Amino acid sequence: MPRVLVAYDIGNNKIREDFANFLQAHGLVRVQRSLFIGKVSSQTIKDIVRKAAKIIDLSRDVVHIVPLSIYEYQHMKTIGTPFNKLQEGRIHVIM
């Protein structure tokens, strides 16, 4: 299953929240306010592309969809407290 990182800068609060909810509903995990990561199907990646193209203002918003190799995904480094752990009240460092 492909691994993907999705980062965005969306100005409209309602659209930004809708997109974040969409990503979470499709199995991605929020690691920063506008950064999600996860293992998803190729079809889900296509769905993310279509959703982003449909809802963002192409003249000022941006969505980055970055495929990650298994090596990159498994060797990712996290220093500090990821956003999803702050919400859960747990703090740790992954190195």
Side-chain angles (χ1 to χ4, degrees):
M1 191 171 286
R3 288 129 176 100
V4 68
L5 182 135
V6 179
Y8 56 83
D9 187 4
I10 299 173
N12 181 291
N13 291 339
K14 185 178 182 310
I15 292 171
R16 186 174 54 248
E17 184 177 332
D18 177 53
F19 191 62
N21 290 336
F22 175 84
L23 295 174
Q24 288 177 318
H26 284 79
L28 283 100
V29 175
R30 181 179 240 154
V31 292
Q32 290 189 2
R33 294 191 195 284
S34 298
L35 182 66
F36 288 76
I37 193 167
K39 291 187 259 184
V40 296
S41 69
S42 296
Q43 182 59 50
T44 298
I45 293 173
K46 292 176 187 174
D47 293 342
I48 293 168
V49 170
R50 277 194 291 274
K51 177 74 169 181
K54 181 178 176 182
I55 67 169
I56 70 168
D57 179 341
L58 297 175
S59 68
R60 64 185 188 122
D61 297 335
V62 64
V63 175
H64 301 280
I65 302 166
V66 183
L68 300 171
S69 71
I70 293 171
Y71 178 85
E72 291 164 331
Y73 188 79
Q74 290 176 340
H75 291 86
M76 180 177 55
K77 308 278 188 260
T78 301
I79 302 163
T81 307
F83 183 76
N84 60 331
K85 300 302 176 192
L86 279 175
Q87 289 182 320
E88 296 171 7
R90 293 185 285 164
I91 298 173
H92 70 277
V93 176
I94 302 169
M95 304 245 341

